[in-house]
Amino acid sequence: MDTQFISVENLKKYYPIRKSLLRKPQSFLHAVDGVDLFIDEGETLGLVGESGCGKSTLGKCILLLIEPTSGEIIFSGSKITKLKSKELRKLRSQMQIVFQDPFSSLDPRMSVKDIVAEPLRIHKVAKGNEVEKRVLELLSMVGLTEDHLYRYAHEFSGGQRQRIAIARALALNPKFIVLDEPTSSLDVSVQAQVLNMLKSLQHDLKLTYLFISHDLNVIKFMSNRIAVMYLGRVVEVASQKELVKEQLHPYTRALFSAIPIPDPHAARTPTLLKGEPPSPVNLPRGCRFSPRCEFAQPICSASEPELRVVRDRFVACHLAE
């Protein structure tokens, strides 16, 4: 896993929220604000952060489901940010997504067979009996059977619906899948089954994952490396092992201190962050975490820290050493 399969350089996504009388944008919501990131071939990069930090927007920008405001996305050695629609259509088969809510991501008017077969028909990779054969193969991969072919989404449990969504994502033999909180709406026991299945599929099909979640226990289980986002920017990236052992950014430290401990007698005081996250419309000067950071110094509000190498990881903090 030493090949940079996907690389993101200074990626930004701004949404205009207020316009002048001449309809020109006057202010923007900074959903993703200058992200640099890479994903090695065959690995799982976990992306974690509190709600509203830009995780899902970043994942959709990488897939070009949302057009970035600026920046560069490199997929398998090729720049894809400015691809025309015909070229992008060819690329779609290699990049797929599994959404958080399987019920809203599946068409209630279509049977399971039609849902899973739709990518095959759109990309014209199978026809006739080949379609049903491929659909049965995909359902088998995710633990479903021929009995489920002609049923509809509302007839399934949440875990089964997510398995259907995963089968659809695998239909075109993709190389890269964005998993956007795929287990957050599932019961804990079902979560474990789906996560183990995703790991097994990754091994068998040699897949590369971007796994987005706010659940650090899930992120720890799934990821080779972990990236932490705060208010549109990546603040720390490290291997799963090193980040669990030690967190250098104060925000990462606060996140990990909030993980529940199974032992009710174990003593631990979580780090309580003061105040609320700043508005992504009116960002603070300097480090955007500084208004909530107990270690903040004058330099923190004077200049924004760059993501730089500190020991065994990347950290965006003036005081990381």
Side-chain angles (χ1 to χ4, degrees), residues 34-271:
V35 168
D36 294 297
L37 209 59
F38 68 87
I39 307 175
D40 289 335
E41 188 170 9
E43 81 164 341
T44 298
L45 176 69
L47 186 61
V48 67
E50 59 196 359
S51 296
C53 71
K55 305 185 301 294
S56 295
T57 303
L58 176 58
K60 292 172 184 175
C61 281
I62 291 174
L63 295 179
L64 298 177
L65 295 176
I66 298 174
E67 184 179 357
T69 302
S70 64
E72 197 67 73
I73 303 163
I74 301 168
F75 177 79
S76 195
S78 301
K79 294 182 179 181
I80 66 171
T81 321
K82 304 297 182 183
L83 284 182
K84 295 180 180 178
S85 57
K86 189 175 288 187
E87 297 168 318
L88 185 57
R89 186 185 177 95
K90 293 179 181 177
L91 186 68
R92 290 286 181 216
S93 63
Q94 300 179 53
M95 307 168 72
Q96 294 292 315
I97 185 169
V98 176
F99 293 99
Q100 177 178 357
D101 180 8
F103 192 73
S104 61
S105 69
L106 301 177
D107 192 328
R109 298 166 298 178
M110 297 173 68
S111 67
V112 170
K113 177 185 175 182
D114 290 334
I115 289 171
V116 179
E118 189 174 27
L120 303 172
R121 294 191 174 113
I122 289 174
H123 288 265
K124 300 177 181 177
V125 297
K127 57 184 179 180
N129 293 334
E130 295 176 1
V131 173
E132 184 167 335
K133 183 179 178 182
R134 176 61 177 159
V135 169
L136 287 171
E137 182 184 348
L138 291 163
L139 291 181
S140 176
M141 284 183 189
V142 298
L144 299 175
T145 67
E146 188 175 357
D147 295 336
H148 300 110
L149 270 181
Y150 297 100
R151 291 165 62 183
Y152 293 83
H154 70 273
E155 300 179 73
F156 293 92
S157 67
Q160 288 174 318
R161 284 196 287 263
Q162 198 61 290
R163 288 171 186 267
I164 295 165
I166 293 167
R168 179 179 60 185
L170 294 173
L172 298 173
N173 294 315
K175 298 178 181 177
F176 172 60
I177 300 179
V178 173
L179 299 161
D180 188 5
E181 304 201 37
T183 60
S184 63
S185 61
L186 307 180
D187 293 337
V188 175
S189 59
V190 179
Q191 276 189 24
Q193 295 171 14
V194 173
L195 292 174
N196 283 319
M197 181 188 72
L198 287 170
K199 276 201 162 190
S200 177
L201 288 170
Q202 181 179 32
H203 178 268
D204 295 342
L205 303 177
K206 300 186 176 4
L207 298 169
T208 302
Y209 289 157
L210 173 63
F211 195 100
I212 299 169
S213 181
H214 59 264
D215 187 330
L216 276 167
N217 282 320
V218 170
I219 286 286
K220 286 196 301 182
F221 175 73
M222 288 295 298
S223 306
N224 302 108
R225 287 186 304 123
I226 301 173
V228 182
M229 276 191 82
Y230 181 77
L231 214 60
R233 289 183 69 91
V234 172
V235 296
E236 188 163 3
V237 187
S239 71
Q240 184 264 14
K241 182 179 179 182
E242 294 300 332
L243 198 67
V244 170
K245 184 170 73 172
E246 181 185 24
Q247 305 87 44
L248 297 187
H249 196 283
Y251 175 64
T252 312
R253 203 171 300 137
L255 282 183
F256 274 79
S257 75
I259 299 176
I261 298 175
D263 183 359
H265 304 293
R268 186 180 67 176
T269 304
T271 302

Side-chain angles (χ1 to χ4, degrees), residues 15-28:
Y15 291 99
I17 59 169
R18 192 184 304 130
K19 295 184 178 181
S20 67
L21 292 174
L22 299 176
R23 309 297 294 169
K24 291 184 178 179
Q26 289 185 309
S27 59
F28 295 86

